[in-house]
Structures are given as C-alpha cells and as structure tokens.
Amino acid sequence: MRRKHNKKFFKLVFIIGIIVSFIMVLGGCGSTTSKTSAVQSNKKEAPKKITVFAAASLTESYNEIAKDLKKDKNIEVSYNFAGSQQLVTAIDQGANADVFASADTKNMDKIKTDGKVDKSKIFANNQLIIAKYKGSSISITSLKDLAKDGVKLVVGDKSVPCGSYFYKALDAALKDNTIDQDTYNKILKNIKSNELNVKDIVSKVTLGEADAGVVYKTDVVKSNKDKLQVVKDSEFSKLKIEYPVAVINSSSNKNAAQEFIDYITTGKGKDILKKYGFIVK
C-alpha cells in the first residue's frame, strides 16, 4: 500500500517539475524578447553626413549650427572654411562637397556657369566695417581716417569678397566726392597687405600687426571684441552684401544637403545667424 502511494507521489512531483520547467522556458523567452526590443529601441540611427564649403566669415555661426543640426536632425556636418574664391576653385577641381555657401553672389554665379550648381538661395546679408585695433594710438572714426600718416591697414585681396567690397566702396567714395584723389591715394598707400581670407585680416589686427582692417561686422565676435573696435562708415552701408547657398550637383547626399539649407533659411539656423550679427529675413 505504501509502495502504491510512493508511486503516486513521485508521479505528481514529476508532473509538477515538467510544468515548472515549461513556465520557466516561457518566461525566459519573454525576457529575451523584451531585452531584444529594448536594444533595438535604444539603438541610434547612423547620422547623415555632409561636407559644407563655406565662406570664412561664417565660421562661428556655422559651427554652432552644426551642433544643433546633430541634435535636431541627426546630420553630421564637416566644414571647409576659406575665401569664397578659393572654395570655388576647389569645387571646380572636383573637391568633395555637398553644399556651398558664399560671401558674395559673384562666386556663386561662377560655379553656376561652370555647371556645379543649378540654383542658389540668399540666406543672409552682412555689413562691411573697419575693425580698429584698440591698442593703436591712431584715431580712426571713418573711411577718410585710413589715409592718415602712419596707419597700417590690412584689407582683403580684390579676388576675395571682403576685398572686392572694400575697393568698390573706395572707388564709389572717390566718385561721389566723399573723398578726394589725394585721400584715395593715401589710403591705398597705407595698405600693408591684401589677404586671401577675412579671418587672416582679423588675426593681424587682433595681434596688433595693423592699426585697422576692413572686415565684416560679424567678424568681431566674443573672442576678439576686447581687442577690436567697430567703426562704421556711410560708404560701406551702401554696399549690398548677400550670402547665397546651394546644393552641389555632384553631391551624393542631396537630401541631407537640402535639410541643411532648409535649417539655415527657415529653421533654428536663422536665429543663430542673427545672433552672430547677420541680417536675415
């Protein structure tokens, strides 16, 4: 009798063991599925990568825009900052670029003619100013003062947008009798170097190698404003300084490139450009 009860007992234990094992297997499967789902949900999508060729005067604002784009759009931007004319040469020679942002329409028109871009859009305007070294003992309050004896002046080369704008303003000032021929000649004589990049002008003035340089308003920033004084002139205010941007035809990332342009023309990028002194509509 006892033997019969023992058999029943062991049979019951065996059945219970099978049931428990089955429940554990089911639980384990559910746990694995949950873990897999969690890993998949936490896995970040690979960033979209683009290369932007941009005028040197856009350095500070575009670097901040890149940080926001990474957070907001998952777009990773690599920049090549230089004089617009240098960037055009590189693009014409086949450099890998997705977007071109120029400090003038002249250079953008050139690569349109070369078939490198189809259309462009104006995304900002700027102003030309005289950046005077605060450590200089020479008083400079207008364009005319650049003709004073002993002034060391640094400007952009005529091939560079900021230089082209300067020489255009200087010629206009002579034509409308704002300055006379003697003043015009003295200003030219005081030019110590013609730089190929607006940031090189800023650097020379900041280091005290020049009394003044003609740059954009946006080039006087937090990191150098303790060394530079902004001097405005009515002749400079007559200039139309426009910044166009375009997607390069050879880009393999056209969608992300267009997202970049949309961001600086309709999104948060506009506010960042404004923060750095650009004029945006």
Side-chain angles (χ1 to χ4, degrees), residues 21-175:
S21 298
F22 183 69
I23 291 172
M24 288 178 68
V25 169
L26 286 178
C29 289
S31 176
T32 301
T33 303
S34 299
K35 287 179 182 178
T36 302
S37 298
V39 170
Q40 288 176 342
S41 63
N42 289 331
K43 188 178 179 181
K44 290 183 179 179
E45 188 179 334
K48 295 166 278 187
K49 298 182 179 182
I50 60 170
T51 299
V52 176
F53 278 31
S57 52
L58 292 163
T59 302
E60 292 82 10
S61 58
Y62 267 26
N63 277 332
E64 184 168 333
I65 285 171
K67 292 176 184 177
D68 276 21
L69 267 173
K70 185 68 185 296
K71 289 187 293 184
D72 297 346
K73 301 288 184 179
N74 199 28
I75 296 175
E76 198 171 281
V77 187
S78 295
Y79 288 116
N80 181 7
F81 293 112
S84 298
Q85 81 292 345
Q86 294 171 311
L87 298 173
V88 166
T89 299
I91 292 169
D92 276 338
Q93 291 176 349
N96 180 33
D98 300 294
V99 175
F100 174 50
S102 177
D104 65 355
T105 55
K106 179 182 176 182
N107 280 292
M108 183 63 76
D109 289 341
K110 184 180 185 306
I111 61 169
K112 279 182 185 177
T113 302
D114 295 341
K116 302 299 181 180
V117 303
D118 291 331
K119 59 181 181 178
S120 63
K121 185 173 185 178
I122 303 298
F123 68 93
N125 291 74
N126 213 338
Q127 295 175 322
L128 208 67
I129 57 108
I130 298 167
K132 190 232 177 211
Y133 178 55
K134 287 183 178 180
S136 171
S137 60
I138 300 175
S139 175
I140 298 173
T141 59
S142 69
L143 181 64
K144 287 181 181 179
D145 289 335
L146 297 179
K148 287 182 176 180
D149 291 339
V151 170
K152 294 178 183 177
L153 177 63
V154 180
V155 300
D157 186 81
K158 288 182 179 180
S159 65
V160 184
C162 70
S164 176
Y165 291 131
F166 165 71
Y167 283 105
K168 183 178 179 181
L170 192 61
D171 289 342
L174 177 63
K175 188 176 180 180

Side-chain angles (χ1 to χ4, degrees), residues 142-148 170 173-174 178-190:
S142 69
L143 181 64
K144 287 181 181 179
D145 289 335
L146 297 179
K148 287 182 176 180
L170 192 61
L174 177 63
T178 300
I179 60 174
D180 57 25
Q181 188 66 54
D182 185 54
T183 300
Y184 179 91
N185 293 339
K186 285 182 178 179
I187 291 174
L188 292 180
K189 187 179 178 181
N190 283 340

